[in-house]
Amino acid sequence: MFGKNKRIRFDYDEKIKAAKYERIYQTLKDILKIEVAAPLREGKTEVDYAATCSAIKTKVRLAIDFVTDLDKDGDDEK
């Protein structure tokens, strides 16, 4: 009887904030694991620091773009 027309309200601002936090947190965890190896002679490998830095910068750019896109979507409706 009661509660039939009850609407569920979502707090989209909180969900967006949680998505931003999770994305940034996950990106930082992934950055700690990045290590690009360069092959050497005799089957050995060595850390390629230039490639590692490039991979880190790419990962950070993707996270920043994701957060920026979330901010833009929220600003358009206001």
Side-chain angles (χ1 to χ4, degrees):
M1 291 234 209
F2 59 90
K4 231 179 183 181
N5 294 327
K6 191 175 185 180
R7 291 185 180 188
I8 299 173
R9 293 185 183 201
F10 293 105
D11 188 4
Y12 290 107
D13 290 335
E14 287 298 318
K15 290 191 180 283
I16 289 173
K17 188 186 300 183
K20 287 180 192 178
Y21 172 81
E22 182 61 31
R23 187 63 185 146
I24 292 168
Y25 179 74
Q26 189 61 43
T27 300
L28 290 172
K29 282 176 56 177
D30 290 346
I31 286 172
L32 286 175
K33 297 176 189 174
I34 293 176
E35 191 173 279
V36 179
L40 297 175
R41 294 183 185 178
E42 296 120 21
K44 296 181 181 179
T45 60
E46 178 181 88
V47 175
D48 185 351
Y49 292 105
T52 301
C53 288
S54 179
I56 288 171
K57 287 169 77 175
T58 301
K59 192 75 151 172
V60 170
R61 276 191 214 110
L62 290 172
I64 289 171
D65 288 346
F66 175 78
V67 171
T68 302
D69 287 344
L70 284 178
D71 287 340
K72 284 181 185 177
D73 289 343
D75 291 342
D76 290 344
E77 294 178 10
K78 291 182 180 178

